[in-house]
């Protein structure tokens, strides 16, 4: 070996010895992909099934290996709990994640045995609570940190799982109502519940199901609207089967039977040490429509909410699609009277939007429009939605009278004095035949309808007096009190020739009218011939034109006497109205166009505050363009109301915005002198 080679060997040997003696690790560098970057920052036990990078770092500080904590989570918890020298934020966040891992690894117990997962969920929530509210920095100081987002997720998920586990543990058929405040013991924990922030629909005493909103996935709903924040989003189901129209109840209304709730776990302690020793948890339940934020440890935090899950679940289980078709044909398992479904518990401080669907349809027709309104923060704070479900086989005159009565009776039930904001300035939204009904509810009939109908049916004075006593309200009406604005969607105000289509006329021939309606109206008109009102016709007098009780399809025909007489009824003074019209073929001149069912000239209304023509078929209410237009109108309406109320109640100090007091009751407006709509399927799968 040459001297040069010996020198090189001695040089590299010396470097190797020096590296060994120094104890330094060798550092390497490599590039990472965008997905690896995000996974490193955001990945954790909930998203990837493995502990987060933050937890891994903390465990390494404690001399623990993250890979070993998967099967030995409790051992890692014990070491980290008793180890000092690790900053509180890192320790508490990692313990919350380890307890979450422990809960997910524990087996599900058999029925009747105390669930060990509950303790792990409560431990997760407590350590996350400690991280959020008992460390040196406040949540606002960590607002942009990924770790805080992860820990809040651990808390919310643990609250969700613990709440549903406790619900199943205490599920009972006991008819006794749930106490507004209660106390129980489970798994060594003292659990104090407060239900004063909610009211279950229809006065129900306890839900039949409690379903995590995050476990539901919907088809038929374009968007899921949530509010990020504190707490678990749950759906409380109080009715476990297909819904009826409410014919068997004493009220013309019911609340949506699957409201969304938000549950929060609180731990009362002055110091972090006290928090980590407590075995008491306080469970508060809130209505997220009424509560946007809560105070925790003197900090105002947003309350989490899901505004779509309960609505989607209700529609998916409703059975509306089948029932509405059976009702149209007058078959069994249909219904005979309009019913109002309230999308949330009645709120006196929110204005009411009344939605009226079209022929052969149901509340399913409004799935995306209603969801978009409830998902809009401004509109949600100012409006509540009532959906009218009505039998679409009945004549328009009959439906308008009974829908009017149902709305007014519902208002009177909740607001007998008519002083609440909810009783003022209602907005009606009607699609197709529902739009025609909305116009009748906001118009004045005068005497023309009654006199024309009596003349058409050649009644003698005695028969006219009998029918007038029973059914005059069907043909004599004024604008319904409290209506401020109406939005018409593809509404055939002057009828449609589609009603003369051979297939449609065949369908019309299959329609049966309810016997009680036939007896009420037709029974008064049995003449000398002894005609049978139950058949839908009766000879008023021998030799005169027989009385015919029209179906809804008859009423939509361009030549129907009722449509001809109501086409130009005056809409009430002060009521603003808008038209949204579909145009199927944009190459056709507007005046000659249609949406496939309703011609433009029938949908057009003189005097509308706005008119929007959208390239669409008849189901225009489902289009994004129509929904955006309706939201624009409603936002403008809210702004107009703010300005109107500000003028009515001016602030004493111009520099200070006035608090808006309740709207005074508005006097009743004085009287002046569709075709089939397919509903989208809505499915929910757990």
């Amino acid at each position: 070996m040459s001297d040069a080679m010996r020198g090189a060997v001695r040089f590299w040997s010396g470097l190797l010895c020096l590296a060994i003696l120094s104890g330094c690790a060798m550092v390497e560098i490599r590039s990472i992909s965008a997905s690896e970057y995000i996974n490193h920052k955001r990945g954790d036990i909930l998203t990837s099934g493995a502990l987060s990078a933050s937890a891994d770092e903390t465990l390494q500080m404690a001399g623990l290996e993250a890979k070993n904590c998967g099967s030995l989570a409790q051992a890692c918890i014990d070491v980290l709990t008793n180890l000092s020298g690790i900053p509180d934020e890192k320790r508490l966040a990692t313990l919350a994640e380890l307890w979450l891992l422990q809960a997910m690894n524990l087996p599900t117990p058999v029925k009747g045995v105390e669930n060990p997962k509950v303790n792990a969920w409560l431990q997760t929530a407590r350590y996350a609570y400690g991280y959020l509210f008992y460390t040196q920095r406040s949540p606002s100081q960590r607002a942009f940190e990924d770790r805080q987002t992860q820990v809040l997720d651990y808390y919310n998920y643990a609250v969700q799982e613990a709440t549903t586990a406790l619900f199943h543990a205490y599920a009972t058929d006991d008819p006794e109502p749930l106490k507004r405040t209660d106390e129980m013991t489970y798994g060594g924990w003292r659990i104090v519940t407060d239900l004063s922030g909610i009211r279950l629909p229809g006065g129900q005493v306890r839900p039949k199901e409690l379903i995590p909103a995050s476990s539901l996935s919907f088809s038929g709903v374009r968007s899921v609207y949530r509010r990020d924040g504190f707490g678990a989003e749950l759906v409380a189901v109080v009715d476990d089967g297909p819904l009826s129209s409410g014919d068997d109840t004493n009220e013309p209304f019911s609340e949506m039977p699957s409201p969304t709730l938000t549950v929060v776990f609180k731990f009362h302690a002055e110091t972090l040490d006290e928090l980590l020793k407590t075995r008491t948890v306080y469970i508060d339940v809130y209505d997220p429509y009424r509560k946007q934020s809560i105070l925790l440890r003197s900090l105002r935090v947003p309350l989490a909410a899901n505004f779509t899950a309960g609505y989607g679940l209700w529609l998916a289980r409703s059975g509306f699609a089948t029932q509405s078709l059976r009702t149209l044909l007058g078959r069994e398992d249909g219904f005979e009277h309009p019913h109002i479904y309230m999308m949330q518990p009645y709120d006196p401080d929110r204005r009411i939007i009344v939605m009226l669907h079209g022929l052969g349809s149901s509340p399913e027709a409004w799935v995306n429009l209603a969801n978009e309104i409830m998902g809009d923060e401004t509109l949600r704070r100012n409006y509540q939605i009532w959906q009218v479900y009505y039998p679409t086989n009945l004549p328009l005159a009959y439906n308008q009278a009974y829908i009017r009565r149902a709305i007014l009776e519902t208002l009177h039930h909740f607001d007998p004095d008519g002083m609440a904001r909810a009783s003022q300035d209602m907005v009606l939204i009607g699609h197709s035949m529902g739009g025609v009904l909305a116009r009748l509810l906001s118009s004045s009939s005068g005497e023309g309808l009654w006199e024309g109908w009596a003349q058409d049916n050649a009644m003698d004075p005695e028969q006219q007096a009998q029918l007038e006593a029973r059914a005059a309200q069907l043909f004599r009406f004024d604008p319904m009190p409290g209506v401020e604005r109406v939005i018409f969607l593809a509404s055939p105000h002057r009828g449609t020739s589609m009603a003369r289509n051979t297939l449609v006329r065949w369908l019309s021939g299959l329609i049966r009218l309810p016997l009680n309606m036939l007896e009420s109206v037709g029974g008064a008109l049995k003449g000398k011939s002894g005609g049978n009102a139950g058949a839908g016709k009766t000879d008023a007098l021998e030799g005169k034109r027989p009385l015919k009780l029209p179906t809804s399809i008859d009423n939509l025909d361009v030549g129907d006497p009722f449509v001809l007489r109501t086409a130009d009824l005056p809409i009430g003074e002060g009521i603003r109205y808008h038209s949204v019209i579909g145009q199927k073929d944009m190459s056709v001149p507007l005046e000659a166009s249609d949406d496939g069912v309703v011609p433009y000239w029938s949908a057009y209304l003189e005097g509308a505050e706005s008119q929007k023509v959208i390239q669409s078929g008849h189901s225009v209410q489902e289009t994004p363009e129509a929904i955006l237009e309706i939201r624009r109108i409603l936002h403008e309406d809210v702004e107009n109301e703010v300005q109107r109320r500000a003028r009515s109640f001016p602030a004493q100090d111009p520099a200070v915005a006035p608090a808006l007091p309740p709207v005074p009751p508005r006097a009743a407006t004085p009287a002046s002198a569709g075709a089939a709509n397919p509903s989208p399927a809505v499915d929910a799968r757990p």
Side-chain angles (χ1 to χ4, degrees):
M1 181 182 297
S2 66
D3 292 341
M5 291 180 64
R6 292 191 190 93
V9 169
R10 285 195 295 271
F11 173 78
W12 289 110
S13 298
L15 285 179
L16 178 61
C17 292
L18 187 61
I20 293 173
L21 291 174
S22 70
C24 294
M26 301 298 289
V27 177
E28 298 180 352
I29 188 171
R30 73 178 182 89
S31 298
I32 62 174
S33 66
S35 60
E36 289 177 307
Y37 165 77
I38 292 298
N39 187 60
H40 180 78
K41 286 174 62 66
R42 310 276 173 81
D44 62 8
I45 192 63
L46 286 178
T47 60
S48 66
L51 291 171
S52 65
S54 296
D56 191 8
E57 292 169 3
T58 303
L59 291 171
Q60 288 189 48
M61 292 173 64
L64 299 169
E65 290 288 340
K67 62 182 180 181
N68 296 328
C69 291
S71 57
L72 301 171
Q74 187 61 58
C76 293
I77 289 171
D78 293 340
V79 170
L80 197 57
T81 300
N82 299 308
L83 190 65
S84 60
I86 296 177
D88 283 341
E89 283 190 11
K90 289 183 174 294
R91 185 166 63 94
L92 294 170
T94 302
L95 283 168
E97 191 170 357
L98 286 171
W99 273 113
L100 184 63
L101 175 63
Q102 173 81 320
M104 296 169 72
N105 286 340
L106 286 170
T108 301
V110 297
K111 188 174 181 180
V113 177
E114 201 166 76
N115 189 345
K117 287 177 175 282
V118 171
N119 174 64
W121 296 129
L122 293 176
Q123 294 280 13
T124 301
R126 182 174 62 174
Y127 279 104
Y129 199 84
Y131 167 89
L132 293 167
F133 300 111
Y134 285 85
T135 50
Q136 185 174 0
R137 294 191 298 164
S138 67
S140 61
Q141 291 174 309
R142 295 186 296 248
F144 298 106
E145 294 184 13
D146 294 320
R147 192 54 168 161
Q148 177 160 279
T149 301
Q150 290 175 325
V151 174
L152 180 58
D153 287 341
Y154 305 156
Y155 171 88
N156 288 345
Y157 187 73
V159 171
Q160 168 188 295
E161 295 301 302
T163 302
T164 53
L166 289 169
F167 176 81
H168 289 124
Y170 287 95
T172 175
D173 294 327
D174 187 351
E176 289 297 315
L178 293 172
K179 297 178 181 178
R180 306 312 289 170
T181 57
D182 203 357
E183 185 174 322
M184 65 189 78
T185 302
Y186 194 93
W189 287 81
R190 174 173 168 257
I191 300 169
V192 182
T193 58
D194 183 356
L195 305 179
S196 60
I198 63 166
R199 180 182 64 80
L200 292 178
Q204 295 291 320
V205 297
R206 62 178 67 237
K208 296 181 179 179
E209 293 180 79
L210 200 60
I211 303 173
S214 62
S215 70
L216 298 173
S217 175
F218 299 99
S219 62
V221 181
R222 278 198 289 264
S223 304
V224 173
Y225 284 100
R226 298 181 53 261
R227 180 174 62 218
D228 286 328
F230 207 79
E233 305 151 24
L234 300 166
V235 178
V237 181
V238 300
D239 197 311
D240 57 0
L243 305 177
S244 71
S245 68
D247 289 342
D248 296 328
T249 69
N250 295 322
E251 304 292 353
F253 65 88
S254 58
E255 295 163 322
M256 189 175 69
S258 51
T260 300
L261 312 174
T262 303
V263 180
V264 172
F265 285 6
K266 299 178 181 178
F267 303 87
H268 296 174
E270 291 299 322
T271 65
L272 177 60
D273 286 341
E274 290 179 12
L275 173 72
L276 299 183
K277 292 176 182 177
T278 187
R279 300 284 291 184
T280 298
V281 58
Y282 296 84
I283 302 179
D284 291 350
V285 186
Y286 298 98
D287 177 351
Y289 282 95
R290 293 177 178 268
K291 202 80 171 176
Q292 287 80 44
S293 63
I294 56 174
L295 275 175
L296 292 176
R297 295 281 292 171
S298 300
L299 294 174
R300 176 68 61 179
V301 298
L303 192 68
N306 188 310
F307 301 105
T308 298
Y311 179 51
L313 183 66
W314 172 58
L315 289 180
R317 293 183 173 185
S318 67
F320 283 143
T322 300
Q323 188 185 52
S324 60
L325 181 58
R326 299 188 68 85
T327 299
L328 174 63
L329 298 177
R331 300 304 190 263
E332 293 181 2
D333 299 325
F335 63 103
E336 298 181 359
H337 301 294
H339 190 75
I340 294 171
Y341 284 109
M342 307 164 73
M343 297 297 96
Q344 65 181 90
Y346 172 80
D347 187 338
D349 297 323
R350 285 180 169 89
R351 294 169 57 193
I352 296 168
I353 295 175
V354 178
M355 294 182 171
L356 297 132
H357 58 76
L359 178 67
S361 189
S362 73
E364 284 185 306
W366 303 114
V367 54
N368 284 301
L369 175 58
N371 185 49
E372 293 282 342
I373 291 174
M374 291 188 291
D376 185 308
E377 181 71 21
T378 298
L379 300 183
R380 185 172 62 245
R381 289 188 179 186
N382 285 277
Y383 295 105
Q384 57 193 317
I385 296 175
W386 292 6
Q387 295 192 10
V388 179
Y389 186 32
Y390 66 95
T392 62
N393 57 337
L394 301 187
L396 290 173
Y398 191 92
N399 263 330
Q400 77 81 21
Y402 281 85
I403 289 172
R404 178 189 301 259
R405 186 168 76 178
I407 293 172
L408 295 179
E409 285 182 358
T410 303
L411 284 171
H412 182 76
H413 174 88
F414 289 104
D415 183 26
D417 298 326
M419 296 293 292
R421 185 189 183 203
S423 296
Q424 319 301 320
D425 298 333
M426 286 185 291
V427 177
L428 307 183
I429 302 178
H431 172 250
S432 192
M433 188 169 75
V436 178
L437 288 168
R439 191 168 60 82
L440 295 177
L441 293 171
S442 54
S443 300
S444 299
S445 67
E447 290 294 320
L449 287 182
W450 169 252
E451 293 174 353
W453 199 70
Q455 181 180 1
D456 288 344
N457 290 285
M459 292 182 286
D460 63 24
E462 181 182 356
Q463 291 171 324
Q464 185 168 335
Q466 290 178 357
L467 187 59
E468 188 168 10
R470 296 191 185 197
Q473 76 274 16
L474 304 185
F475 301 95
R476 291 190 181 124
F477 48 84
D478 293 327
M480 188 171 65
V483 175
E484 182 264 344
R485 193 176 297 268
V486 188
I487 304 174
F488 303 109
L489 304 168
S491 302
H493 302 294
R494 296 170 183 82
T496 169
S497 59
M498 179 66 73
R500 297 184 174 182
N501 177 279
T502 302
L503 181 60
V504 175
R505 296 314 306 166
W506 175 80
L507 177 64
S508 178
L510 298 178
I511 292 177
R512 300 175 188 170
L513 296 177
L515 184 61
N516 64 350
M517 190 202 80
L518 294 170
E519 291 175 342
S520 175
V521 179
L525 299 171
K526 289 182 179 179
K528 296 178 181 178
S529 65
N532 179 12
K537 295 181 180 180
T538 185
D539 293 331
L541 286 173
E542 288 184 2
K544 293 187 178 182
R545 183 187 307 172
L547 172 74
K548 180 180 186 297
L549 297 181
T551 68
S552 55
I553 292 182
D554 294 329
N555 279 160
L556 293 179
D557 187 86
V558 290
D560 181 73
F562 186 83
V563 166
L564 293 174
R565 291 191 176 101
T566 58
D568 297 312
L569 290 182
I571 292 178
E573 184 179 355
I575 297 178
R576 298 179 171 91
Y577 54 97
H578 309 258
S579 294
V580 179
I581 300 172
Q583 184 176 2
K584 191 171 183 179
D585 186 349
M586 300 299 283
S587 66
V588 176
L590 180 61
E591 292 75 12
S593 68
D594 58 50
D595 62 15
V597 174
V598 177
Y600 171 81
W601 56 263
S602 183
Y604 171 80
L605 278 181
E606 185 73 31
E609 190 165 287
S610 69
Q611 175 179 283
K612 180 78 170 179
V613 178
I614 295 170
Q615 184 172 8
S616 168
H618 187 54
S619 296
V620 67
Q621 86 285 356
E622 276 292 300
T623 65
E625 294 84 358
I627 293 174
L628 287 171
E629 173 66 4
I630 293 168
R631 289 176 61 183
R632 180 197 68 78
I633 293 169
L634 294 176
H635 274 276
E636 185 178 280
D637 197 30
V638 170
E639 182 60 30
N640 289 342
E641 183 195 21
V642 171
Q643 295 174 2
R644 184 170 64 252
R645 297 175 77 181
R647 288 193 298 268
S648 300
F649 304 95
Q652 295 182 358
D653 180 358
V656 179
L660 298 180
V663 179
R666 188 179 71 172
T669 305
S672 57
N677 169 32
S679 298
V682 180
D683 301 314
R685 56 182 189 276

